[in-house]
Amino acid sequence: MSFVARLKWFFKQQWLRYTIAITLIASVSMLTVIPPKLIGDTVDLIRSDSLTQSELREKVLILIGLALLLYIMVFTWITTLFGNSALLEKLVRGRLLAHMSRMTPGFYQRNSTGQLMALASNDVLAVGQTAGYGVMTLVNTVVGASVVMISMISLISWKLMVAALIPMPLLVLVITVLGRQIRDRFTKAQDSFGRMNDQALESISGIRVIRSYVQEDEDVNAFDRVTDDVIHQNQRVALIHSLFQPIISLIVGLSFTIGIGYGAYLVMEEVISLGELISFNLYLGMLIWPMISFGEFINVLQRGTASAARIDEAFMQEADVQDDAHPVDVKEPTSIEMKHLSFRYPGAQRDSLTDVSFRLEKGQTLGIVGKTGSGKTTLLKQFLRQYRLDEDSLFISEVAAERIEMEIVKSWMSYVPQEHLLLSKTIRENICLGKPHATDEQVNRVIEMASLAKDISQMPKGLNTLVGEHGVMLSGGQKQRVSIARALLMHADILILDDCLSAVDAKTESHILEHIRRERVGKTTLIAAHRLSSVSHADWILVLDQGRVIEEGTHEELLFHNGWYKQQWDIQQMEASLQE
Ligand code: ADP
């Protein structure tokens, strides 16, 4: 698809600014043909000794006036057109971010962070350049070249013009061949830039692990390899690009040679005057810029098209889960139920959940336990609607979850994941993420509930302490409790806690859980945990193994059952008493 087709929406939106800019560029091209004609005429007048002082003054004044007018026009089109470029970049970046925020995990599995960053930086830049600089070069070429050629024909000699332009078809051929190469090579260079981003991100975020395994040198070498590739790919683009200008100069030089040679002959034959030959050669000089412009246009257009295609590819990927065309209106989650739910991650070899069933009424608590990798997180994630579900396997208020609008389902849930994600803001901003206008009283309350008050009072700026990138200033346990406070502030109908107290000591954990239990009377809670004491109070407990429910019941029933739960409970009780 062409560049214009891909960006039709923008050209439509900004048609007025483009019309102004294009009209001005065209007018500038037209006005610049006047000075050479004036100079040629003046030479002829000097030669025939008929130039009067008033005529000379008049011509000089016209030239100065023209220069001023051109200055204003050029200033206006530059600001208008390049303003458009910047605006397009901003809009495309905004759209990209909005699109990415709607995407489900499958999208991020297919597109690495580095590649997405490359799209938002280099590719958006290339597209913006085409919409600004590209348009300028195109108009310059078309209008500039036609105006000069028309002037040559009408004011001097069409024969001389045809002769001087004989080498021009060569130019078209060269540009077509090189242009295609530029696009291919540029796409490869952008891919390589994306891979470099990935490597840099991984090195920086994994720096502690890399250091602890003394892998710094290997990491630097690996980075060297990707940057070498970036250089190599960009050199290949630069090589083709650098071939452009000399070839254009060569062809233009050939035109000049013919122009002067054949022109001199025409002067001798008295077909044209000396002044006309001078004007003609000035015009020929004025053709250089449109020709260079044409080369630049092809170059920028090819890069812009390659980048626009890469960006469109990301836009074309849809979220794995879409809303039902005719969603069912459900007011509140009165119950949640899984019926024989099986689930396999996209691209995985085996199911991560097999035939899981349970039912939870509003106000009840579900505990999920089991070995690492048994499917606890996977089970909880089903409520976040990130992956496609089998039909009729998950129900909320007796309605199949996929028939309820996703935004509504999400508004019922508060999820505290295993990996806590804190933003590089203050503690207060992190806690108030979902409820920016929460009152001090509400914030203090959740801080109490998450047993964070003491920690915060010891921080240099209390609630206004900045936590650093990903919360590096906080301990694992503090991060977990900030995440819990954040979720509790939402006071959601369904609270999902995914093993989010693992870095907190048992006593603090039981305090927090006690608070949560008291606070959430009448609301539904799902807790996955390693410590069985975290779920012992739950109304129903599932024990998972390899994605299957191997035991289920209340705490007492499971102890009575004398299976994995009982064994684990005994071990953990013994460990706890030893620690005490
Ligand atoms: P738990 O929370 O009990 O530790 P998980 O739900 O995280 O277990 O994982 C259950 C199984 O699903 C594991 O075998 C794991 O390897 C697999 N798994 C988890 N996430 C993915 C994923 N994104 N793609 C493929 N397999 C996954």
Side-chain angles (χ1 to χ4, degrees), residues 359-395:
R359 183 182 167 91
L360 213 57
E361 303 300 334
K362 184 176 175 207
Q364 288 191 319
T365 298
L366 178 77
I368 306 164
V369 293
K371 292 180 209 151
T372 307
S374 57
K376 302 184 288 294
T377 302
T378 309
L379 193 155
L380 292 178
K381 275 190 185 162
Q382 302 306 311
F383 293 97
L384 305 178
R385 302 290 333 275
Q386 294 176 335
Y387 298 97
R388 225 171 277 151
L389 289 169
D390 284 343
E391 246 171 62
D392 293 340
S393 55
L394 181 66
F395 293 83

Side-chain angles (χ1 to χ4, degrees), residues 40 95 108 124 146 181 191 271 378 403 444 490 502 509:
R95 282 179 164 211
Y108 294 97
V124 169
S146 353
Q181 295 232 4
D191 283 343
V271 179
T378 309
R403 306 239 25 223
N444 288 333
M490 300 305 293
S502 53
E509 177 179 10

Side-chain angles (χ1 to χ4, degrees), residues 399-509:
V399 177
E402 59 272 18
R403 306 239 25 223
I404 309 172
E405 233 175 283
M406 255 179 300
E407 281 305 306
I408 294 183
V409 174
K410 282 182 195 158
S411 74
W412 291 329
M413 313 268 169
S414 231
Y415 173 59
V416 188
Q418 234 166 0
E419 325 80 41
H420 305 283
L421 194 93
L422 298 193
L423 307 177
S424 46
K425 298 183 172 198
T426 64
I427 296 197
R428 192 195 161 96
E429 285 167 327
N430 267 295
I431 292 177
C432 297
L433 187 67
K435 212 179 196 176
H437 303 297
T439 61
D440 285 347
E441 197 192 337
Q442 289 170 323
V443 175
N444 288 333
R445 196 173 150 70
V446 293
I447 288 173
E448 270 310 320
M449 283 166 63
S451 294
L452 251 180
K454 199 166 148 224
D455 299 69
I456 290 176
S457 70
Q458 285 168 356
M459 287 178 191
K461 288 191 182 163
L463 263 178
N464 294 321
T465 310
L466 286 164
V467 301
E469 205 174 6
H470 300 312
V472 284
M473 314 277 280
L474 305 182
S475 73
Q478 285 170 335
K479 275 188 245 180
Q480 291 193 330
R481 281 173 288 148
V482 170
S483 301
I484 289 173
R486 175 198 285 169
L488 290 175
L489 189 64
M490 300 305 293
H491 209 59
D493 292 289
I494 301 169
L495 175 66
I496 302 177
L497 304 175
D498 184 2
D499 203 6
C500 59
L501 288 164
S502 53
V504 177
D505 63 79
K507 209 163 126 203
T508 315
E509 177 179 10

Side-chain angles (χ1 to χ4, degrees), residues 134-297:
V135 171
M136 178 201 89
T137 48
L138 175 67
V139 180
N140 252 327
T141 308
V142 175
V143 183
S146 353
V147 169
V148 172
M149 283 188 221
I150 292 169
S151 309
M152 284 173 166
I153 298 172
S154 58
L155 303 176
I156 301 158
S157 151
W158 70 267
K159 278 193 211 155
L160 187 54
M161 189 209 74
V162 171
L165 295 188
I166 285 174
M168 292 304 164
L170 258 183
L171 200 67
V172 177
L173 182 75
V174 167
I175 283 170
T176 319
V177 175
L178 294 188
R180 201 175 307 128
Q181 295 232 4
I182 284 190
R183 190 173 42 187
D184 295 348
R185 293 182 178 200
F186 186 68
T187 306
K188 284 193 185 132
Q190 297 293 72
D191 283 343
S192 171
F193 181 75
R195 283 194 294 276
M196 183 186 74
N197 273 352
D198 273 333
Q199 178 78 30
L201 271 175
E202 216 164 86
S203 297
I204 295 168
S205 57
I207 191 75
R208 287 186 213 171
V209 182
I210 291 169
R211 272 201 201 131
S212 62
Y213 283 86
V214 207
Q215 289 299 304
E216 293 96 323
D217 287 346
E218 178 41 41
D219 192 55
V220 170
N221 289 340
F223 193 65
D224 261 357
R225 284 193 290 276
V226 283
T227 45
D228 276 348
D229 189 53
V230 173
I231 292 180
H232 173 66
Q233 299 296 350
N234 278 295
Q235 275 172 341
R236 292 183 70 228
V237 178
L239 181 77
I240 294 280
H241 191 194
S242 55
L243 280 178
F244 248 97
Q245 299 300 345
I247 291 182
I248 290 169
S249 304
L250 212 74
I251 295 170
V252 171
L254 210 61
S255 278
F256 261 100
T257 317
I258 300 174
I260 291 185
Y262 185 49
Y265 168 77
L266 288 180
V267 173
M268 280 191 280
E269 291 287 303
E270 291 184 0
V271 179
I272 59 170
S273 69
L274 179 64
E276 282 172 334
L277 178 62
I278 291 177
S279 296
F280 183 82
N281 275 292
L282 286 174
Y283 283 139
L284 212 49
M286 282 168 59
L287 263 189
I288 299 179
W289 175 228
M291 289 305 143
I292 292 179
S293 249
F294 188 48
E296 284 284 295
F297 169 67

Side-chain angles (χ1 to χ4, degrees), residues 564-578:
W564 182 89
Y565 187 91
K566 167 85 164 77
Q567 276 172 18
Q568 210 58 23
W569 177 261
D570 289 344
I571 295 171
Q572 290 187 3
Q573 288 300 305
M574 200 156 64
E575 279 172 358
S577 59
L578 280 176

